[in-house]
Each structure stands twice: as structure tokens, then as C-alpha cells.
Amino acid sequence: VGCDRSKNLVDICGEKHFQAFVCDALSVPIRSSSCDACISIAVIHHFSTAERRLATIRELVRLLRPGGTALIYVWAMEQEYKNQKSKYLKEKNGRKNKEKEMNTDTAQRPLSDQGHDNSSQDSAWSDQLLNDLKDESCGAKPVADFRLPVHTNRTSFDSQDLLVPWHLKGGTKKKEESVGTVLVPGGSKESQELSPVFHRYYHVFCEGELEAVCRSLDCVRVQKSYYDQGNWCVILEKL
């Protein structure tokens, strides 16, 4: 059984005859201690505070029966580990020049400096996230000017808390779907309308951070903690 915050993704699962439903990872409508195993892939790094990230893992553990196991993947701060670049960094050279230009336009600048296409709502949201963010660690640079930095795609991370541009592809969108998007600076008006950019929040994890969060719960045992292609991963067991 799968669940996701995105209705569109859940609908795709339904079309493929998989069981899936829409829900929030902080409140999953499944009976406690009813699952043999749970998997959380690329979810927890989207929560903006340490408290919410811990609450998400606690909710995942609630679903497990005693002896049940969970696998958790989060994006790693260390995209180059033991002298090996992650697949995320390696794919940079395979991207089209046009996409590289789009990424450069929105790279590592405060949201307030990215042109008139940005909404004030995005800026206010960035401010609100920073109120609860913990101190930077593992060599990450502190966020300046009370704005979250916007990451340059396919590059190493300069901050643990950042916004990652999500370039929508596939042509035009319906008007109601375009509300609140950030358009690509520069170029013609037509190209901007066809290329909205969403800024998605990420907290990228340093080595040992995810494991430490899991170990803070007295009802679990960490079976394994490892690095996998730019991700930190934990396998835990419910006691």
C-alpha cells in the first residue's frame, strides 16, 4: 500500500492498479502496529524543522508491528563521498544547454533578487522557514539575509536548508495550475509562460544526522546506516 501527498502521483498508481492514497506523512490513516515493513523514500528531507522530521519518523514507526523494519532515504549534504561523485553530480554533463542556462538564471540568489516574477508569498514563506531552522553544521554556510539560498541543479550543496528549482516540462499548463509558480527569468514572455519553476524546500542531511534522529527514539534499533548515491539511508527495527 502506497501513500503520497500528491494526488496526481497517487492517480498514476491507481491507473497501474496499485493500492495508493493521498495523505500527510505526519498523520497516516493506518492502524498502529499493522505493517511488517515501511519504506520512506525522499520524504523526510522536505520537512523544515528538526521537530517535524522526528515526528515523521515516529509516525512511520507507529505503523510497524514489533519486530517490523523500516527503510528511510534522505538526500545527503555530501554529494561527493569517499572521493566518489554521486549520480546526481555525474549527470550534470548530460543535461541540455538550455536547462543549464535555466539553472544558472536562478542559481544561489536570494528569492528577493530573482526578478519580478517571484511572488511575495514565496519570500514570506522563506522567512517563516528560517525561524525554526537549527544551526548550520558539517561546514555548511549559514543562510544570509534571512532568505533560503536557491540551489544550482547538479552541483554540490552549500547549505543544509535550501530551495531546489523544479523546472516543469511538457508544454503549457492550465491557468489554475500556474498560480504561485516562479517563472524563468530572461527570454521571451512566451518561453517564460511555458517554463514555470517551482522552488521546493529541502533539508539535506549530514553524515550521521539521520541515524542520530532515529536513535533518539527509544522504541527502535538501528540495524544499518549507509550512504547510497548521494543519499543517507537507515534501516531500523521496531522493538
Side-chain angles (χ1 to χ4, degrees):
V1 177
C3 57
D4 199 279
R5 188 66 181 264
S6 168
K7 181 180 182 302
N8 289 340
L9 292 178
V10 170
D11 287 344
I12 292 173
C13 291
E15 293 170 0
K16 297 179 179 293
H17 306 292
F18 294 120
Q19 299 183 67
F21 57 90
V22 176
C23 81
D24 189 313
L26 288 169
S27 181
V28 181
I30 293 179
R31 180 167 47 85
S32 299
S33 304
S34 62
C35 298
D36 296 313
C38 293
I39 299 174
S40 175
I41 304 295
V43 174
I44 295 174
H45 55 218
H46 288 300
F47 288 94
S48 62
T49 67
E51 291 77 14
R52 287 168 66 82
R53 292 189 286 271
L54 175 60
T56 308
I57 297 174
R58 184 181 290 113
E59 177 69 356
L60 190 70
V61 173
R62 179 188 67 81
L63 305 176
L64 292 173
R65 63 166 176 77
T69 56
L71 170 65
I72 301 173
Y73 264 62
V74 295
W75 216 352
M77 178 80 179
E78 301 85 352
Q79 288 298 305
E80 188 166 347
Y81 186 68
K82 294 183 177 179
N83 297 322
Q84 294 290 327
K85 289 185 177 181
S86 68
K87 184 179 180 181
Y88 175 73
L89 294 183
K90 289 180 179 179
E91 287 183 352
K92 180 178 181 180
N93 294 331
R95 295 286 164 177
K96 296 180 181 179
N97 291 333
K98 181 178 179 180
E99 183 170 332
K100 290 182 181 180
E101 292 172 0
M102 291 167 64
N103 294 339
T104 301
D105 286 336
T106 56
Q108 300 296 353
R109 287 185 289 163
L111 289 176
S112 58
D113 294 341
Q114 287 185 22
H116 299 292
D117 289 324
N118 292 308
S119 67
S120 59
Q121 182 179 2
D122 286 332
S123 179
W125 176 66
S126 178
D127 286 339
Q128 183 179 356
L129 286 175
L130 286 170
N131 290 335
D132 296 321
L133 293 176
K134 64 178 183 177
D135 293 336
E136 298 292 335
S137 59
C138 68
K141 299 177 182 177
V143 177
D145 299 326
F146 302 99
R147 295 290 187 274
L148 288 177
V150 178
H151 176 62
T152 303
N153 287 334
R154 307 293 164 182
T155 65
S156 297
F157 296 115
D158 291 324
S159 172
Q160 275 194 273
D161 298 284
L162 41 80
L163 300 176
V164 177
W166 182 276
H167 300 276
L168 188 70
K169 299 179 181 180
T172 59
K173 297 179 64 184
K174 297 179 181 179
K175 291 183 178 179
E176 62 268 23
E177 293 178 330
S178 300
V179 176
T181 63
V182 180
L183 303 183
V184 179
S188 65
K189 181 178 180 181
E190 181 180 1
S191 66
Q192 292 181 5
E193 291 176 347
L194 294 178
S195 303
V197 178
F198 297 87
H199 285 112
R200 305 179 69 194
Y201 171 83
Y202 282 80
H203 171 84
V204 290
F205 283 68
C206 290
E207 182 174 7
E209 183 180 354
L210 176 61
E211 181 178 355
V213 175
C214 293
R215 290 188 185 279
S216 70
L217 298 174
D218 57 10
C219 57
V220 304
R221 179 176 67 88
V222 175
Q223 292 184 339
K224 187 178 181 181
S225 178
Y226 60 98
Y227 180 89
D228 180 25
Q229 285 295 334
N231 299 281
W232 286 113
C233 321
V234 162
I235 299 175
L236 57 82
E237 177 186 3
K238 184 175 182 177
L239 301 177

